[in-house]
Amino acid sequence: MKHFAFVSMPAHGHVNPTLPIVEELVRRGHRVSYGVGAAFAPVVEAAGATAVPTGSEMPKLPSNFGGTFDPEAMAPFMQHRLADLRENFPVLLEHFQQDPPDAVCFDDGEISGPMLAEKLGVPDVALVPHFAGNERFSFRDLLREHSADAFDHEEHPVFQDFKARLAEIKTEFGVTTESGGFGQTIPSSLNLVFLPAEFQIAVETFDERFRFIGPSVGGRAESDWRPADSVKPLLFISLGTIFNQRADFFRTCIEAFRDSGWQVAMSIGNVVEPAELGEIPDDFEVRPSFPQPAVLRHASAFLTHSGMNSTMEALYYGVPPIAVPQMQEQQANARRLEELGLGRYLDSDEITAAQLRDAVQEVAESSEIRAAVHKMSEAVRNSGGAPAGVDALEAHLGG
């Protein structure tokens, strides 16, 4: 049996898609050690891994952050990533030098992953929870098409400073592994992509290094949550776990769906307080978070930020999404949803209660959207999920 090292950014949208892979590896008798911020240690241990806690954590967002990637907005995040790398890479390296793995599996946004694989001299395996990129297709270029000034700042001092300081850190640790530019990743020897091939953009450009295994829900589906009313249709509303500081949006949702015939489960995150939302109707259940797979199992529509993990889980359960993206990456997901006829894309900064209500009703009632979502749901479930991912891992390592 093999020993796998996992490392990930400390964010739900990055950790959650990897957990079914961990569960399947452990089920087959392999050993998994998972390096991640201490806040995520309980969830990786529940999946069967041994947690290797680090001090890594996502930076706190300013209340006025608008999800843009201009240099001034990104500077504190880039500085945080560098400080995190310098502090926590030695923790990971020391641990895995004493307990060597057979491969390093890493979230492809986690800089420490390929560095760790190089230092340990073991195969590198990227875990990709968003659109994959390769030598012919760049996610950065995709974003540039729709936001001309978003990624045209590579010569800006902020980005040049990031590159220079990252090069210093790599030199300090004796690492030569190349990093992709911002918004672009250098493919690994094996890349497990948590999307079905049918959803990937430019899928024809990808070779055998990429396995489009789709999402898996795994143990996260094991929840006894039920809607209060077994008859009324359920609308699930969530802006995810990061860009959710939108009390104004949640108030608009209450206005839109009060006495509408819908029962609503609304996740508002840990920043917005229920008291900021005014009177909450009886047919609303409002919480900081919900067990998302359990709610989607019962939902008829999903008003979502269109983060890729949430998008894939909606399609897994056959729930048509209404996308209200909060940042440019999510906008790309929303455009893909609309392009494939799977849902609707709304601008959350300008949306009215009437527009929200109309869009949700349209998506819930459209036979064309329902048919497209059903077809994509079948593609998602037939992509192989965690078992296919572990098959690929075992073959990559020779059994």
Side-chain angles (χ1 to χ4, degrees):
M1 294 295 100
K2 304 293 186 182
H3 176 208
F4 292 87
F6 274 58
V7 292
S8 177
M9 294 175 62
H12 291 281
H14 295 262
V15 173
N16 287 347
T18 72
L19 298 178
I21 298 286
V22 172
E23 292 171 357
E24 182 65 15
L25 283 168
V26 172
R27 189 188 70 78
R28 297 190 191 188
H30 298 293
R31 186 162 64 93
V32 179
S33 301
Y34 205 129
V36 72
F40 284 88
V43 296
V44 304
E45 289 180 340
T50 298
V52 182
T54 69
S56 183
E57 60 181 10
M58 291 296 285
K60 290 181 172 56
L61 293 172
S63 59
N64 62 347
F65 184 73
T68 59
F69 287 120
D70 60 84
E72 288 72 21
M74 290 304 300
F77 301 99
M78 299 172 83
Q79 292 165 7
H80 178 93
R81 293 301 307 280
L82 290 170
D84 179 276
L85 181 65
R86 187 179 293 279
E87 177 183 350
N88 292 302
F89 182 68
V91 176
L92 294 170
L93 184 59
E94 179 180 6
H95 177 91
F96 287 112
Q97 282 176 331
Q98 295 176 4
D99 185 16
D102 295 288
V104 176
C105 305
F106 55 90
D107 176 89
D108 80 337
E110 179 51 58
I111 301 170
S112 64
M115 291 175 58
L116 187 62
E118 179 184 341
K119 290 294 291 183
L120 298 174
V122 298
D124 58 327
V125 179
L127 308 173
V128 187
H130 46 68
F131 290 118
N134 59 20
E135 294 84 356
R136 296 171 60 191
F137 171 75
S138 165
F139 188 54
R140 176 185 58 188
D141 291 343
L142 174 69
L143 295 179
R144 180 183 284 132
E145 288 178 16
H146 296 274
S147 184
D149 60 346
F151 285 86
D152 286 337
H153 298 290
E154 292 203 358
E155 301 308 314
H156 190 283
V158 167
F159 289 102
Q160 290 300 307
D161 179 66
F162 177 83
K163 290 179 181 179
R165 292 174 62 192
L166 179 57
E168 290 174 3
I169 293 173
K170 289 184 175 182
T171 299
E172 177 183 336
F173 290 107
V175 172
T176 60
T177 300
E178 184 181 1
S179 298
F182 184 67
Q184 185 176 21
T185 301
I186 304 299
S188 294
S189 57
L190 176 65
N191 304 267
L192 302 182
V193 187
F194 300 126
L195 322 178
E198 291 84 348
F199 198 82
Q200 171 68 41
I201 298 172
V203 70
E204 71 281 356
T205 69
F206 290 84
D207 57 28
E208 66 281 353
R209 294 170 298 171
F210 294 83
R211 306 296 176 87
F212 293 91
I213 64 173
S216 299
V217 180
R220 294 177 56 242
E222 298 171 6
S223 169
D224 59 0
W225 186 90
R226 296 286 187 278
D229 190 318
S230 61
V231 177
K232 262 188 181 181
L234 174 68
L235 170 63
F236 184 32
I237 301 174
S238 173
L239 295 183
T241 58
I242 299 178
F243 302 99
N244 55 23
Q245 301 138 306
R246 293 291 308 276
D248 60 328
F249 173 77
F250 296 125
R251 284 193 292 267
T252 301
C253 289
I254 290 175
E255 179 185 352
F257 300 106
R258 182 192 303 272
D259 301 323
S260 64
W262 288 92
Q263 60 179 323
V264 178
M266 188 163 74
S267 172
I268 62 173
N270 294 314
V271 176
V272 174
E273 294 291 340
E276 298 178 60
L277 306 181
E279 182 185 355
I280 297 175
D282 291 339
D283 50 5
F284 272 66
E285 181 178 356
V286 176
R287 299 186 187 180
S289 65
F290 283 82
Q292 182 162 288
V295 179
L296 287 171
R297 192 184 301 122
H298 298 280
S300 297
F302 185 18
L303 190 53
T304 171
H305 65 306
S306 62
M308 190 62 84
N309 185 50
S310 293
T311 297
M312 287 297 109
E313 289 185 355
L315 296 175
Y316 182 93
Y317 286 105
V319 181
I322 303 90
V324 283
Q326 303 298 299
M327 60 179 293
Q328 287 154 330
E329 178 185 345
Q330 296 164 6
Q331 290 168 1
N333 301 339
R335 284 190 294 270
R336 185 61 169 164
L337 283 169
E338 203 162 59
E339 175 186 323
L340 295 174
L342 299 168
R344 289 290 177 264
Y345 172 9
L346 304 176
D347 184 344
S348 67
D349 289 330
E350 300 178 359
I351 198 71
T352 66
Q355 289 170 327
L356 267 183
R357 189 166 49 248
D358 290 347
V360 168
Q361 205 65 37
E362 177 197 358
V363 164
E365 294 177 353
S366 168
S367 58
E368 292 84 1
I369 290 175
R370 285 279 175 187
V373 169
H374 177 73
K375 184 177 180 181
M376 185 61 74
S377 182
E378 288 185 333
V380 166
R381 288 174 177 263
N382 291 333
S383 294
V390 174
D391 286 346
L393 278 171
E394 290 178 333
H396 191 60
L397 298 186

